[in-house]
Amino acid sequence: MRRAIWVALALSALVLAPDSSVAQGLPFHTETALTTAFEQRGLRLISSYRPRDSVSAVVTPLVILPFAPHQRVATRVVVPLVYKRVTTSRVGGGTPYSEAGVGDVSVAAKWAFFVRDRFAGTTRFALVGGVSLPTGRTSARFEDGSGAPRPLQLGTGAVSGGATLVGTMIRGQWGVSADVGHRRHATADDFQFGASTRYNLALGLRLPAHVETIRTKTWQLYLEWNGSIAARSRTGGNEIGDSGGHVAFLSPGLQFVPLPQLLLEASLQIPVLQNLNGSQLDHGLRPTIGARFLFF
Amino acid sequence: MWKLNLARLTGVGAVAAMFAVATPAAVAQESRSETGPAAKAEELAEANVLLRVDGMSCPFCAYGLEKRLREIPAIDELVIRVSDGLVQIRLVSGAELTDEELNEAVKRAGFSLREIQRLES
């Protein structure tokens, strides 16, 4: 019965996709077509600092609970703990404020529909889908009582979801993963975030080249390209000029595996392309640290 | 303290023993622990089954395979050699382990079993 619930959850979630920041791949922000072992459970804790311009800051620790109800299916529940802070009156015309709490909880599933293993390597393709629920608060207000803009709220206020196609190829110590996904948001309170398409590419190098046993301590170096193209958001049936655009980050990262069931990681997302519509806050450097645990 | 930790960690002694047999690094390892690894080295020589597994690429990915295999009562000890795509298994004395059991364990771990070799111990 319990397994049936997980399978039903996985299948229902396949229709839609999660945010790239909760990618459960060995890379940081790019998905992977690899799945965890059958019935294997895990935990990923990741904290990402996401400043935009010098006037706002966002810290997003994420709790991710992956589980595999089948050897080719992996599910995950993501509970984001969000802290947002606005430090000047430039944003939204109000006074400074800060908000902290649970953001939008999402459920997702990954199905590896193509698997071709080989000696010390593999080629796999997977479909990832998920839904994000409006669990995060949207009632934040500036000190003068005016409502904060929707992008500054803890949650989006609306259901969203989409699908992502991902491919992973590993040959010896080298690995490459790539994904492309589309995400759409429902309308809530007469506001709709613009649909977005994200695309990611990750190149990984495992050190040492020869891994004697699974208890050999290993390092993994990554270089990722993380891109996102978003349409303008809409309110009152009209597009918001100062929204949407094309953003891309170059993201070097380092992972350390001291034990076969433990992975420590850190990465830095460097904004290299910010073709934003209208007048918007620029993205700053985004450092990320995290740890992953595997258990049954 | 170093010796004690090695002895307590399941499989680590066996891993150290493999170093001792196959690489110079193992010599150093063995010199740090005179009893556990040396004993394990003899035990490893008694491996009954050798699996060739495709798809293994990193320790973090292969952890599920070890957990799956250790759930099989007939398996006494095992060592996964990631880059070699090999799993060395020593069976419990008198126990039998079918190819189907091994294939199912590898499959559920998300990998592909290419070959099973039964070794004379």
Side-chain angles (χ1 to χ4, degrees):
Chain A
M1 181 62 185
R2 191 175 172 188
R3 183 177 301 170
I5 293 173
W6 275 106
V7 171
L9 193 63
L11 293 178
S12 62
L14 274 174
V15 184
L16 304 163
D19 186 88
S20 63
S21 64
V22 297
Q24 191 52 36
L26 276 181
F28 296 82
H29 312 286
T30 304
E31 274 288 352
T32 177
L34 302 180
T35 54
T36 50
F38 175 64
E39 288 188 334
Q40 187 172 51
R41 291 175 175 83
L43 174 66
R44 183 181 186 188
L45 302 173
I46 181 172
S47 182
S48 179
Y49 176 65
R50 305 177 182 183
R52 294 195 64 168
D53 210 338
S54 59
V55 298
S56 68
V58 179
V59 179
T60 309
L62 296 171
V63 178
I64 306 172
L65 298 168
F67 174 70
H70 184 270
Q71 57 263 30
R72 289 198 178 187
V73 176
T75 61
R76 64 181 178 238
V77 177
V78 180
V79 182
L81 305 175
V82 183
Y83 172 72
K84 292 188 176 184
R85 185 166 61 103
V86 178
T87 55
T88 81
S89 60
R90 271 181 57 189
V91 180
T95 49
Y97 83 104
S98 64
E99 275 277 288
V102 176
D104 290 348
V105 173
S106 65
V107 179
K110 174 164 55 180
W111 169 45
F113 62 87
F114 177 88
V115 176
R116 183 159 294 172
D117 291 335
R118 52 174 287 166
F119 173 70
T122 187
T123 301
R124 303 187 183 198
F125 289 93
L127 184 65
V128 183
V131 291
S132 181
L133 306 173
T135 55
R137 290 198 308 270
T138 58
S139 56
R141 293 183 174 279
F142 291 110
E143 290 178 357
D144 62 6
S146 60
R150 185 61 64 88
L152 296 180
Q153 302 286 351
L154 293 182
T156 61
V159 173
S160 67
T164 298
L165 179 66
V166 53
T168 295
M169 186 174 72
I170 297 173
R171 295 289 183 271
Q173 68 182 130
W174 292 93
V176 60
S177 286
D179 71 55
V180 58
H182 187 70
R183 180 183 180 89
R184 300 186 76 87
H185 299 261
T187 300
D189 298 329
D190 207 24
F191 184 94
Q192 182 183 34
F193 280 95
S196 62
T197 299
R198 63 185 182 84
Y199 59 101
N200 298 291
L201 176 66
L203 178 65
L205 172 66
R206 186 201 65 217
L207 298 172
H210 186 84
V211 179
E212 192 70 27
T213 75
I214 68 170
R215 284 177 177 73
T216 301
K217 293 178 176 59
T218 60
W219 295 84
Q220 288 165 162
L221 309 176
Y222 279 99
L223 184 61
E224 298 185 46
W225 177 276
N226 310 124
S228 176
I229 303 171
R232 285 184 170 86
S233 300
R234 301 178 69 88
T235 183
N238 300 315
E239 288 187 342
I240 301 174
D242 299 334
S243 66
H246 187 184
V247 179
F249 297 86
L250 192 63
S251 314
L254 179 66
Q255 294 177 337
F256 177 52
V257 184
L259 297 170
Q261 66 271 45
L262 174 64
L263 185 151
L264 307 173
E265 56 189 346
S267 80
L268 181 65
Q269 289 189 288
I270 305 166
V272 292
L273 174 62
Q274 300 199 60
N275 186 14
L276 303 171
N277 298 325
S279 176
Q280 297 186 54
L281 302 176
D282 287 334
H283 291 270
L285 294 173
R286 290 161 57 159
T288 297
I289 59 171
R292 310 185 199 196
F293 311 90
L294 292 176
F295 53 90
F296 281 83
Chain B
M1 181 59 75
W2 171 249
K3 295 175 186 175
L4 182 62
N5 288 340
L6 276 178
R8 286 188 172 182
L9 289 173
T10 306
V12 169
V15 170
M18 290 189 62
F19 286 151
V21 172
T23 69
V27 177
Q29 179 76 15
E30 187 173 6
S31 67
R32 287 195 296 267
S33 181
E34 299 174 1
T35 55
K40 288 287 185 180
E42 295 175 6
E43 294 168 0
L44 272 180
E46 299 173 359
N48 312 97
V49 182
L50 186 65
L51 307 182
R52 295 190 182 279
V53 178
D54 284 346
M56 286 196 295
S57 55
C58 74
F60 196 65
C61 307
Y63 177 66
L65 177 58
E66 179 179 270
K67 297 294 287 187
R68 280 282 157 232
L69 291 172
R70 288 196 184 280
E71 290 174 354
I72 300 175
I75 295 180
D76 178 40
E77 186 58 275
L78 66 97
V79 172
I80 298 177
R81 297 168 61 178
V82 178
S83 288
D84 295 328
L86 296 176
V87 180
Q88 290 180 313
I89 296 173
R90 186 182 67 232
L91 299 179
V92 172
S93 180
E96 292 186 0
L97 182 59
T98 66
D99 289 358
E100 288 71 25
E101 285 179 284
L102 290 168
N103 191 44
E104 186 66 13
V106 174
K107 181 181 174 184
R108 288 191 169 201
F111 301 108
S112 301
L113 181 58
R114 178 149 55 101
E115 184 181 1
I116 301 173
Q117 288 185 353
R118 304 283 179 172
L119 307 174
E120 291 184 9
S121 57

